[in-house]
Amino acid sequence: MKWNTIFLIVCTMLGIFLIGCWNARELNELGISLVMGLDEEGDDILLTAEVVDPSFTQKDGGSVGQGGPVKYVQGTGCNVFEAFRDVVLKFDRRLFVSHNKVVIIGEDLAKNGVAEHIDELFRDREQRETAHVLIAKGAKAYEVMGISSGLESIPANYISNLIKNIKENPKAMDMNMIENLKHFYHEGHQSIMGVIEKRGIGQIDKMVEETDIQDYELSIIGSAIFDEGSLVGYLNGNDTKALNFIMDRIEGGIITFPTPDSALGSKSEFSSKHRELSSVVIINSKTKNDVKIKDGNVVLSTKIRLRGSIGEVVGNIDISKEENLKQMEKACSKSIEEGIKTAITKVQKQFGLDVFGYGLVFHRKYPKKWMGIKENWDQVFSKADFEVEVKTDIIRTGLINTPVIRKKER
Amino acid sequence: MNNIGKKDRVSCYQVVLLITVYEVMTRLTYLSVASIPPANQDMWIVSLTSIPYIILFCSPLLYLGNRFNNLTLLGYANRIMGRILGKIIGIFYTIFLFIGLMLLLGVLVEILNSSLFPETPTYVTASIMLITCIYISYGGFKNMARLGEITIPFVIIMIFLFIALGYKNYDFKELLPVLKDSTYKQINAGAINIGIRFSEITILAMMTPYLEVREDLNRIFFRSLMYSMGISILIVVAVQLSLGIEFVKHINFPFLTFTRLLALGRDIQGFDSLYIISWIMGNVIKISGYLYFTTLALEEIIGRRNQDFIIPVSVIALILIILIKDRRPILAATRSMQRFMFILSVIAILIIPLIMLVAYFFRRNSLKQGKG
């Protein structure tokens, strides 16, 4: 009995300490991928991965490894997994994708349907459901990879930081894999994804050695609209901001609007000078969506409550006066309302797809009626009337009150 | 079982912990409520509605357990039904517990292979888990309960921690509309389906003679039911809010996927590893319990001490699990497996106890006079 116990203890201890050795993969055997691109090449899938080059050190200017801190590897296959395994015959390390921050999908692949190609990204335990998804606007995924016009030397960090900056400027869409899949499954809410676009940049420093990479920067402004998993179009930055407002995904950013011309005694509500635009910094925002049925017609309703701080005032207005501050609030609200109305109208007329999620609200409010119209909700949405109501509270004015240009009355 | 000494008995608190974690582990692994009607946003209501059904379905065994609190389930089956029928019932419950043991082991191996050791062969993962469980079972029920007293609070605290950390991912609108897309019939059908799977009542029925205060059986049952269902409903709601209903239906291990999304700030991630550790701890306790009570059932049928059966039963389980697991996934093929387990549970929890209850009422007087 005593020997049996000792035997069992030894086996248990060995088991605990050695089981991990079975699948052990040392760091020097892995190619750590940070960004993954998926494209369509004929009937095949082309996978591009940005892999960290551990031999690169910044201390000696990268002299140990050739090139930059990352390398790019590609593989093709009939599906994503085959493309992954194709890489191992060209690249000496096995791709390790647990650190993938971003998945970029080429426009061609997105147009032909993303949903059927993302199965592997959820089935494989190494993949992270929290990776951000972006559509390469007007390009292949590999065409936008490798560009880093920021201070980050690793392009993945550059893209990741751009996504992080969305909370400062919500003209872009931050959507990760799991959120995208949830939208895909939701009835009454078409999928949307962020976009990434390669843009040429004006040359500032003529002394900088010209390379292809340095001529470009990346922009993530806008968003991509999907119909049943296939890309159908894009929204611009302002429409994307409106979309973020309706989906209650605003964490910050600014609202720019025509400065009320109260000080000049103009009868018009807003200044005729279009250059006189002021900005409010969003502190927080709360959106409440509703759907009503009026005389048999569906009416979409959005109410937004926004708290902000004056960011910039261009124009002759004394915001230290209560009535002028109220005018600023009104102007800010009106600007948001117009932006949202423009976005809804555009989506209704151009795409006819409910990307805002009003269908979900309809389902919650009228569950029985939803059963009858859920199959053609997008048609109902595209013909629906809408109401937008924004209430702005400016709670801070910054370090100064009246604009610098205006002299204070005695 | 009359001769169980006071020093071998376990406290009410220890048994409540064991039964709670046994049930929570089932919910944590399968989230079966997502795959039974109505399988929509009302699935937490289905879980809640299942509580009265569980009480109803478990009441025959609970009643008999109170009447014969110095005997195990097999012991009073023998007394009520007679020698031959009692033995047949005993064999059925032994097979039932053994299938439970195999299923638990198979699922444990499947999760470990899917989440941590994809290339480790089944026999290695299963052997290591079984060796641990054999060691625990050899220690007897008292030691198992003591081990549970230390580890189960950790497992439960971890579950609460994960649920709290997932707050940022919650979309409370996933719960709406409430009771609009499901019918009364669907909710009740789902609740009955859940209720009939409360197989832990058979384990409790085997534990009864080990209780320090045997009269506490009802208290233990109700406490462990409330605790386990409370935690289970929290798990269902957290997963539903975080992943959405449709995606939950697609996932083999919903709570594992839920923990993969957790993050503290931008940098602290990888809570799934912590979950796997606590999940293994909970399951090792559960597998050890099933192994122990399978051998205890064999002790009552064959008449040899249960420790003699621990290694043979484990070896048979290991061989079978290797044969099954290397051919087919257990969790992906849920429909056939769930149907099979459902039928077994109906027989084990409802049909046999009801037959025994009827027989008890007919033979009550003769049993009192000691003729049984």
Side-chain angles (χ1 to χ4, degrees):
Chain A
M1 184 62 203
K2 190 183 169 188
W3 286 109
N4 280 348
T5 313
I6 293 169
F7 174 73
L8 282 172
I9 291 172
V10 169
C11 286
T12 310
M13 296 309 280
L14 284 175
I16 289 168
F17 290 113
L18 297 180
I19 194 165
C21 300
W22 201 286
N23 297 118
R25 285 210 186 87
E26 303 305 326
L27 206 55
N28 57 6
E29 292 170 0
L30 298 175
I32 297 170
S33 164
L34 298 177
V35 179
M36 197 171 75
L38 294 174
D39 283 302
E40 199 175 61
E41 288 279 300
D43 289 337
D44 288 342
I45 297 291
L46 171 67
L47 179 133
T48 312
E50 182 183 297
V51 183
V52 177
D53 180 1
S55 64
F56 179 87
T57 52
Q58 281 193 321
K59 221 183 232 178
D60 52 14
S63 59
V64 177
Q66 290 180 342
V70 290
K71 284 191 172 180
Y72 293 89
V73 291
Q74 288 190 312
T76 47
C78 297
N79 58 25
V80 175
F81 205 51
E82 201 177 55
F84 259 112
R85 290 303 157 100
D86 187 47
V87 172
V88 296
L89 300 177
K90 301 169 186 174
F91 187 62
D92 56 345
R93 292 189 182 189
R94 186 185 160 280
L95 281 184
F96 183 70
V97 291
S98 281
H99 293 279
N100 245 349
K101 295 177 177 179
V102 182
V103 176
I104 299 173
I105 295 165
E107 191 179 69
D108 291 342
L109 179 66
K111 278 181 178 168
N112 289 332
V114 175
E116 62 190 89
H117 298 295
I118 57 171
D119 183 275
E120 199 277 338
L121 308 184
F122 287 95
R123 200 173 290 278
D124 184 1
R125 73 188 180 95
E126 265 185 24
Q127 301 278 359
R128 301 303 298 188
E129 294 89 346
T130 46
H132 302 280
V133 201
L134 297 169
I135 302 297
K137 190 177 177 183
K140 297 277 188 188
Y142 61 79
E143 288 173 341
V144 298
M145 292 169 74
I147 296 170
S148 177
S149 61
L151 291 178
E152 282 287 351
S153 55
I154 296 175
N157 289 348
Y158 168 60
I159 298 173
S160 186
N161 286 343
L162 291 183
I163 295 168
K164 197 174 150 189
N165 290 345
I166 291 176
K167 65 180 178 193
E168 305 289 332
N169 187 349
K171 285 184 177 179
M173 182 60 66
D174 176 10
M175 192 66 66
N176 64 26
M177 302 264 296
I178 193 92
E179 287 172 314
N180 182 259
L181 198 69
K182 276 166 76 176
H183 287 165
F184 176 72
Y185 284 134
H186 275 152
E187 288 174 330
H189 192 182
Q190 295 290 355
S191 307
I192 33 173
M193 285 191 202
V195 296
I196 188 159
E197 193 180 5
K198 186 169 86 170
R199 288 180 178 176
I201 47 173
Q203 201 172 359
I204 298 163
D205 186 357
K206 297 272 183 195
M207 296 299 284
V208 173
E209 193 184 333
E210 283 185 30
T211 63
D212 286 348
I213 297 295
Q214 281 164 347
D215 289 341
Y216 294 104
E217 65 182 1
L218 294 177
S219 166
I220 58 164
I221 291 178
S223 53
I225 293 183
F226 286 78
D227 183 9
E228 304 296 334
S230 299
L231 175 70
V232 290
Y234 297 100
L235 290 181
N236 64 25
N238 286 328
D239 295 336
T240 305
K241 192 199 262 187
L243 178 59
N244 277 321
F245 261 116
I246 296 173
M247 290 173 69
D248 202 14
R249 295 172 69 97
I250 296 282
E251 287 182 71
I254 60 164
I255 306 295
T256 301
F257 53 90
T259 311
D261 207 358
S262 62
L264 297 174
S266 165
K267 285 183 179 175
S268 65
E269 194 175 357
F270 296 108
S271 169
S272 57
K273 294 177 189 174
H274 291 296
R275 287 177 64 196
E276 291 189 349
L277 298 169
S278 298
S279 293
V280 163
V281 182
I282 301 165
I283 294 170
N284 57 45
S285 149
K286 185 77 197 152
T287 303
K288 200 175 174 190
N289 293 320
D290 193 14
V291 177
K292 297 167 198 163
I293 298 176
K294 276 185 189 169
D295 307 325
N297 295 323
V298 174
V299 181
L300 317 171
S301 162
T302 293
K303 285 182 183 172
I304 296 169
R305 186 78 193 252
L306 184 135
R307 293 168 85 199
S309 160
I310 297 281
E312 184 178 354
V313 180
V314 179
N316 193 4
I317 183 166
D318 183 0
I319 56 162
S320 61
K321 289 182 179 171
E322 178 67 19
E323 62 271 22
N324 289 347
L325 203 60
K326 279 191 176 162
Q327 282 207 23
M328 289 284 278
E329 289 175 346
K330 206 174 160 189
C332 177
S333 300
K334 186 167 181 174
S335 173
I336 298 169
E337 281 171 17
E338 282 171 358
I340 290 173
K341 283 176 182 169
T342 307
I344 296 176
T345 310
K346 184 179 171 181
V347 171
Q348 281 181 323
K349 288 187 178 165
Q350 207 171 319
F351 302 108
L353 296 167
D354 181 5
V355 293
F356 304 102
Y358 285 110
L360 300 175
V361 183
F362 191 97
H363 177 201
R364 283 169 205 142
K365 195 167 178 187
Y366 304 106
K368 282 183 184 162
K369 283 184 179 149
W370 173 250
M371 291 300 163
I373 63 160
K374 68 176 181 183
E375 297 302 328
N376 54 356
W377 167 251
D378 284 325
Q379 288 171 20
V380 175
F381 162 79
S382 58
K383 287 172 190 161
D385 297 326
F386 54 86
E387 299 165 350
V388 182
E389 191 185 315
V390 181
K391 170 90 172 73
T392 305
D393 291 316
I394 296 174
I395 59 167
R396 291 174 209 152
T397 62
L399 294 181
I400 58 173
N401 41 48
T402 52
V404 176
I405 198 170
R406 184 188 169 99
K407 284 189 178 176
K408 273 227 159 185
E409 293 163 14
R410 291 193 176 181
Chain B
M1 286 293 152
N2 274 321
N3 53 358
I4 294 170
K6 283 223 164 180
K7 66 179 177 63
D8 291 325
R9 293 195 184 181
V10 291
S11 69
C12 166
Y13 170 69
Q14 287 170 330
V15 177
V16 167
L17 278 180
L18 283 172
I19 298 293
T20 303
V21 89
Y22 285 4
E23 185 56 21
V24 166
M25 282 298 128
T26 311
R27 309 284 179 217
L28 213 56
T29 312
Y30 297 112
L31 212 76
S32 50
V33 68
S35 55
I36 54 170
N40 60 15
Q41 65 275 13
D42 296 328
M43 55 190 191
W44 68 275
I45 298 172
V46 173
S47 294
L48 195 67
T49 317
S50 69
I51 295 174
Y53 285 109
I54 293 173
I55 296 168
L56 185 72
F57 296 145
C58 294
S59 53
L61 269 183
L62 209 57
Y63 180 82
L64 292 171
N66 279 301
R67 285 282 163 271
F68 301 93
N69 58 17
N70 57 343
L71 295 173
T72 63
L73 166 59
L74 271 67
Y76 55 75
N78 226 4
R79 277 199 67 188
I80 297 169
M81 303 303 290
R83 199 175 166 78
I84 297 166
L85 273 177
K87 280 264 191 273
I88 293 168
I89 289 171
I91 291 166
F92 171 79
Y93 277 108
T94 312
I95 294 169
F96 179 70
L97 290 170
F98 182 72
I99 290 171
L101 166 74
M102 271 196 13
L103 206 65
L104 288 168
L105 191 65
V107 171
L108 184 83
V109 171
E110 195 162 319
I111 289 201
L112 286 180
N113 286 353
S114 306
S115 60
L116 286 179
F117 318 118
E119 285 164 31
T120 311
T122 305
Y123 71 89
V124 176
T125 328
S127 306
I128 285 163
M129 285 303 135
L130 265 178
I131 289 168
T132 316
C133 297
I134 289 169
Y135 179 70
I136 295 168
S137 300
Y138 255 111
F141 187 49
K142 175 83 182 172
N143 288 341
M144 203 186 300
R146 278 186 187 160
L147 179 70
E149 206 173 354
I150 301 163
T151 53
I152 294 167
F154 169 78
V155 175
I156 292 170
I157 288 168
M158 279 297 127
I159 293 169
F160 281 116
L161 177 75
F162 297 139
I163 290 171
L165 282 174
Y167 180 76
K168 268 193 340 188
N169 301 328
Y170 294 162
D171 178 5
F172 286 92
K173 287 171 189 157
E174 290 286 347
L175 297 175
L176 302 172
V178 179
L179 290 174
K180 298 289 179 191
D181 292 346
S182 2
T183 59
Y184 177 77
K185 193 179 164 187
Q186 281 175 328
I187 295 276
N188 280 284
I192 290 169
N193 202 318
I194 295 285
I196 207 76
R197 289 167 199 270
F198 195 84
S199 55
E200 273 56 61
I201 186 68
T202 55
I203 295 285
L204 185 61
M206 295 295 287
M207 285 177 186
T208 315
Y210 290 89
L211 298 177
E212 255 172 21
V213 185
R214 286 167 181 169
E215 289 70 31
D216 277 351
L217 185 65
N218 288 345
R219 201 154 62 107
I220 290 168
F221 172 75
F222 283 105
R223 273 195 187 179
S224 43
L225 176 67
M226 289 306 151
Y227 295 157
S228 61
M229 289 314 287
I231 298 170
S232 302
I233 290 166
L234 277 178
I235 290 168
V236 170
V237 171
V239 169
Q240 188 179 336
L241 295 180
S242 200
L243 303 173
I245 297 127
E246 193 55 42
F247 188 42
V248 169
K249 291 184 207 168
H250 285 73
I251 317 171
N252 285 337
F253 322 117
F255 203 74
L256 173 66
T257 307
F258 167 80
T259 54
R260 280 166 66 87
L261 306 181
L262 300 180
L264 204 60
R266 272 176 75 89
D267 299 319
I268 304 172
Q269 294 177 358
F271 285 94
D272 44 329
S273 307
L274 204 57
Y275 163 67
I276 289 289
I277 292 168
S278 49
W279 186 83
I280 290 173
M281 284 167 73
N283 256 306
V284 162
I285 299 271
K286 187 170 179 180
I287 293 170
S288 307
Y290 270 77
L291 178 61
Y292 181 82
F293 287 107
T294 306
T295 57
L296 198 72
L298 282 170
E299 179 185 306
E300 297 211 16
I301 295 168
I302 298 168
R304 290 184 64 170
R305 60 184 200 131
N306 80 305
Q307 286 185 333
D308 295 345
F309 299 108
I310 289 178
I311 290 178
V313 166
S314 304
V315 171
I316 294 168
L318 179 68
I319 292 166
L320 287 175
I321 213 66
I322 291 166
L323 289 174
I324 296 167
K325 268 301 293 129
D326 285 346
R327 286 184 186 189
R328 195 166 290 280
I330 292 179
L331 276 170
T334 44
R335 199 163 287 180
S336 52
M337 187 200 74
Q338 285 201 3
R339 196 176 300 142
F340 176 66
M341 284 311 291
F342 180 79
I343 293 165
L344 269 188
S345 298
V346 170
I347 299 168
I349 298 168
L350 205 60
I351 296 176
I352 295 178
L354 273 176
I355 293 169
M356 286 200 294
L357 194 66
V358 172
Y360 168 74
F361 282 120
F362 276 110
R363 300 191 61 203
R364 193 166 37 182
N365 291 333
S366 59
L367 286 170
K368 269 182 190 170
Q369 289 159 13
K371 288 178 188 169

